[in-house]
Every structure is written in C-alpha cells, then in structure tokens.
Amino acid sequence: MKKATNLRSLAAQLIERVVDKGESLSAILPGAQKSLADKDGALLQEICFGVMRTLPQLEALIGKLMERPLTGKQRVLHYLIMVGLYQVLYTRVPAHAALAETVAGAEVLKRTNLKGLINGVLRQFQRQQETLMAEVDQGPQRYWHPGWLLKRLQTAWPENWQQIVEANNQRPPMWLRVNRQHHSRDAWLELLQAEEKVAFVGDAPDALRLESPAPVSQLPGFEQGWVTVQDLSAQRCALLLEPQNNESILDLCAAPGGKTTHILEIAPQAQVLAVDIDEQRLTRVHENLQRLGMKAEVRQGDGRTPSDWCGEQQFDRILLDAPCSATGVIRRHPDIKWLRRDRDIAELATLQGEILEAVWPRLKSGGTLIYATCSILPEENHQQIATFLTKHKDAVAEKVPEGQINGWQVFPSVDGGDGFFYAKLMKK
C-alpha cells in the first residue's frame, strides 16, 4: 500500500526546484508521483502544473499579502503559500481542507514556527479575495507570461498574440492517434463510445480529441498498440513526410518516438533509423516501438555529426523535429515560461541551422526533408528556412497546406493542436 504524504509540501518542493533551480517539471514530477496513489498523483500534477501556469498572478497576490518576501531557507514556504492560493482559486478542494493541508505542510517541511504566518496569509486572502483579484488582474501579470516572451509574441504576431497567450493559459486537450494498422479511426471510435467516452474527430486522418482527458488504461487496446497519445499538430509531421514502404527514412531528434511509430503505421515496410542525442529519452522510443509491435533501428547521436551514427548513408526521407524553444507547447509544459530565457532563442536558432546543414547531404537527390518545431517564434521557423534556402540552390521549399512557401506556422488553439511549424524541402 502506498504511504500517505503531505501533497502540498511535496508540491512546494517541486515548484522550488523548477523556479529557483531551473529543473524541468516533466523530468522531476514522475519520480514524486511514484510513491503516491493514482488520485494523489493526479492532484499533485494539477497543483504543480497549475502553479506554473498562473505563477505571475500568484506572485502578485503574495506581494500584496506580505510585507517582506520569504527568502533563503524559508523560500520553500513562499511556494507553499502559492500552493494554498492556487487550490482556493482553481481547484475543487474545499477551502477549509486546502488551508488545513497547506498549513500542515509547513510542519512536514520542518518550519512549524511559521504555521501561523501561512495560516494568517491564506485567511487574509479569503477575506479580501475579490478586491485583491481585481487589483492583480490589471497589470501585465494578467497574461501569465514573462515580459520577454510577451514582447516577442507581440512583435512577431501583432494580430494573433492575444489568441496565442489565451491558448497557452488553458489546460491542454488530449489528442489520440488511432493505429491504422489495427483499426480505422471510425472503428476504434465505436470501441471508445462503447466505454461511454466522447471524442471528436480531428483534421488529420487518424486523430481524435477526447472530450475530457482519461488515463491510458481506459483506452481500448492501448497496451496492444491500437492507439497512441499524440497531439494533432505533432501528427501532421509524418503525414507531410509521406513515407513509403521500402524507403530508408531518418527520424532525427526522435525521442520519445511518437513520430517514429507514426511513420511505421503509415509505411510498415520502411527502414527507419531513429536518432536522438539523449540516451535516457531513447528508452521511451524502445518502449513505444515494443508496445506497438514495430521495428526500427535506434541510435544515440548528435544531429550535427551524422557520420558518427550513420557513416555515409543517405536517406529517401528525413524528418527533423529540431530542438527548439517549445513555445508552441506551453499549455502542456507551463514551466517552459520560467525555464526559458530570451538569450536561448538565438542559441537554439544557431543549433537548428547547424543540424540542418549537417543532415542535408544525407538526403538523396529527389528526396524530402520535413523540418518541424513546436515553436511559434519566426527566428526558429520561417527565418531559419529562408536562410537555408539562400545557401542551398539544390533545395526547393514545397508549399505545405495553408502555409507560405517557407513553411506553415500553426498557433495553439483551445480545441485544436499545439503551436507547430513545418517546412517541406525537396532536393533537386
């Protein structure tokens, strides 16, 4: 039986590791959830992701509720107060229970002497909630984004930035990809409906959006590989690649393997090489291939040095899902807003350009390369492709659906896919 623990103190410690130490929530949360029952693990995730989403608002509230911020060894209690505020504002946890558990969290964190302070701050918020919320929702913090990112979005997309910010601040929808080797989308949808679950068809041939997210254990045939959790926008990568049986295909920056397995669902006889720089994340590629009963060659390697992992081999098609700022998937990973820095964008654009330059010679004449990112910043997307085309006279950009000639920028939308960019390059 999994032991009981104080979720609020655990949440405060995780949030401190993200905000003050720069760790990724997606990397550290699963380890914390292992010791918890499923229901508690889900609440821990809701609190941590929620605080990341609403951080500027919570910071502004604490600024109004406390004369001096908690610092040094007491800093974790600053995040514990945030956890209490978030529960009162955004969860169904009864306010009295949220307060009691949050105050108890101070004891677990060995700060018993500060229980009265935390209790007082949270009760003061309850008394003044309406006034305080009206005040903090007036300033720039009402957008829940760091200033540098807001400025970039406003500059790049003057007509769309508010829609992007609004979508970023929502909880993400759960998209599924039906494995066409087992079922048509409509046939699998009938199995889902028999379980009394509602889903909506997407504009990619295998895509379905669940009305409300569900554990994968509740999806018919998940363990047998009948369906995969994958966002609508991510599904378009393999579709634009148009893989064919018996072709040699490179999936670069492949972890965790969602696009690798999609390629093999479309073209089961393709020879696929999946490469990623992160050996740890390649474990997920192996797990996904195993669950779907598929075979691909999987190698660890740096995209900038292809000779290290494929010699002089050339490929009919290459999918380059380039490392990027991930500014299009903020609703899935709200900690990105606080982990990224303005200076990262230029560094990432340089890295993307280096990988693109290195793998282009590995594409056969007449071959297709899909360059994709989950970014919405032009430096990583349209500008990257425009620069590449000026240097390579043997490269032609094909117009992808709805896109400009240098690529197709998709924005995150509340009931749609994540923010994504695609460019389709053909080698003369």
Side-chain angles (χ1 to χ4, degrees):
M1 191 169 153
K2 293 185 175 176
K3 60 181 181 182
T5 188
N6 183 279
L7 276 185
R8 281 72 180 176
S9 61
L10 191 52
Q13 289 171 300
L14 291 172
I15 293 159
E16 182 182 37
R17 286 171 67 183
V18 175
V19 180
D20 291 352
K21 297 175 184 170
E23 295 185 57
S24 159
L25 185 55
S26 303
I28 61 176
L29 181 64
Q33 288 174 306
K34 272 181 188 169
S35 62
L36 303 173
D38 288 350
K39 188 180 171 188
D40 290 341
L43 180 58
L44 179 67
Q45 178 169 318
E46 161 66 21
I47 291 172
C48 289
F49 273 72
V51 170
M52 289 295 119
R53 198 175 289 122
T54 60
L55 194 73
Q57 184 187 61
L58 301 176
E59 286 281 15
L61 286 170
I62 290 176
K64 290 187 175 294
L65 289 162
M66 297 179 71
E67 286 180 21
R68 289 197 310 275
L70 293 161
T71 55
K73 290 184 177 176
Q74 318 291 14
R75 186 67 178 163
V76 68
L77 297 183
H78 177 86
Y79 298 115
L80 185 63
I81 292 169
M82 279 192 181
V83 165
L85 292 172
Y86 178 78
Q87 291 170 91
V88 172
L89 282 168
Y90 295 109
T91 70
R92 293 179 184 172
V93 178
H96 66 90
L99 263 64
E101 285 290 321
T102 302
V103 172
E107 204 162 334
V108 177
L109 294 166
K110 299 184 170 56
R111 304 285 192 282
T112 307
N113 58 321
L114 291 173
K115 283 171 68 175
L117 170 72
I118 293 167
N119 186 50
V121 169
L122 294 175
R123 290 200 179 280
Q124 185 187 344
F125 171 70
Q126 280 188 299
R127 288 193 297 271
Q128 303 175 0
Q129 181 170 342
E130 203 171 312
T131 309
L132 287 169
M133 292 305 289
E135 288 174 13
V136 302
D137 285 344
Q138 292 304 309
Q141 66 267 7
R142 73 183 184 276
Y143 295 117
W144 300 355
H145 279 57
W148 71 266
L149 180 55
L150 210 53
K151 189 176 174 184
R152 277 186 180 266
L153 293 176
Q154 289 167 337
T155 303
W157 311 110
E159 293 177 14
N160 305 90
W161 71 270
Q162 283 176 299
Q163 165 208 330
I164 293 167
V165 165
E166 176 64 25
N168 284 350
N169 290 339
Q170 304 298 317
R171 288 176 175 82
M174 185 170 177
W175 282 95
L176 306 174
R177 185 187 82 227
V178 177
N179 184 349
R180 59 176 77 178
Q181 295 298 319
H182 286 284
H183 295 83
S184 70
R185 177 174 61 184
D186 291 348
W188 189 84
L189 180 56
E190 286 179 19
L191 298 176
L192 188 72
Q193 287 165 340
E195 306 269 335
E196 297 187 344
K197 286 194 166 42
V198 178
F200 306 96
V201 169
D203 64 6
D206 310 305
L208 290 169
R209 176 175 59 82
L210 290 181
E211 184 179 48
S212 52
V216 292
S217 58
Q218 294 178 15
L219 304 176
F222 179 82
E223 288 304 327
Q224 292 78 32
W226 294 359
V227 68
T228 293
V229 179
Q230 188 183 37
D231 183 74
L232 172 68
S233 296
Q235 293 185 39
R236 295 195 188 102
C237 293
L239 296 168
L240 290 168
L241 187 69
E242 298 181 286
Q244 306 296 315
N245 283 325
N246 304 313
E247 288 183 332
S248 58
I249 297 173
L250 170 63
D251 183 9
L252 187 53
C253 311
K259 299 176 186 76
T260 309
T261 52
H262 196 192
I263 289 167
L264 286 163
E265 286 172 16
I266 297 168
Q269 269 79 56
Q271 280 83 54
V272 177
L273 171 62
V275 176
D276 199 276
I277 197 167
D278 188 335
E279 195 141 18
Q280 218 173 352
R281 292 187 77 225
L282 282 173
T283 308
R284 295 279 310 283
V285 180
H286 287 292
E287 288 168 356
N288 278 314
L289 286 165
Q290 189 174 0
R291 183 178 66 84
L292 281 97
M294 293 171 172
K295 285 189 169 61
E297 202 169 341
V298 181
R299 292 183 198 161
Q300 189 268 335
D302 188 325
R304 294 169 291 187
T305 55
S307 53
D308 293 350
W309 40 264
C310 75
E312 297 305 310
Q313 184 182 356
Q314 286 194 312
F315 301 89
D316 296 292
R317 296 176 199 266
I318 297 174
L319 172 55
L320 169 54
D321 184 10
C324 72
S325 62
T327 43
V329 293
I330 282 171
R331 60 185 184 174
R332 293 192 188 283
H333 306 283
D335 53 330
I336 286 166
K337 292 185 288 189
W338 319 116
L339 296 174
R340 284 271 173 266
R341 297 289 177 268
D342 194 27
R343 63 178 179 271
D344 296 342
I345 308 307
E347 290 171 13
L348 284 162
T350 300
L351 173 62
Q352 293 154 357
E354 288 171 357
I355 297 173
L356 201 44
E357 289 287 338
V359 298
W360 183 250
R362 304 312 163 113
L363 185 66
K364 293 178 184 175
S365 290
T368 301
L369 182 147
I370 298 293
Y371 172 88
T373 74
C374 55
S375 167
I376 48 176
L377 299 178
E379 295 89 334
E380 302 175 84
N381 298 339
H382 287 109
Q383 291 174 22
Q384 185 73 258
I385 297 304
T387 302
F388 181 79
L389 290 170
T390 60
K391 293 182 187 172
H392 294 271
K393 299 305 173 195
D394 60 344
V396 180
E398 279 216 345
K399 196 169 182 181
V400 289
E402 299 178 44
Q404 301 167 13
I405 195 68
N406 286 350
W408 178 19
Q409 181 69 69
V410 174
F411 298 125
S413 63
V414 176
D415 290 328
D418 292 336
F420 239 88
F421 174 81
Y422 323 86
K424 187 172 191 172
L425 304 174
M426 314 291 287
K427 186 178 267 191
K428 287 182 192 173

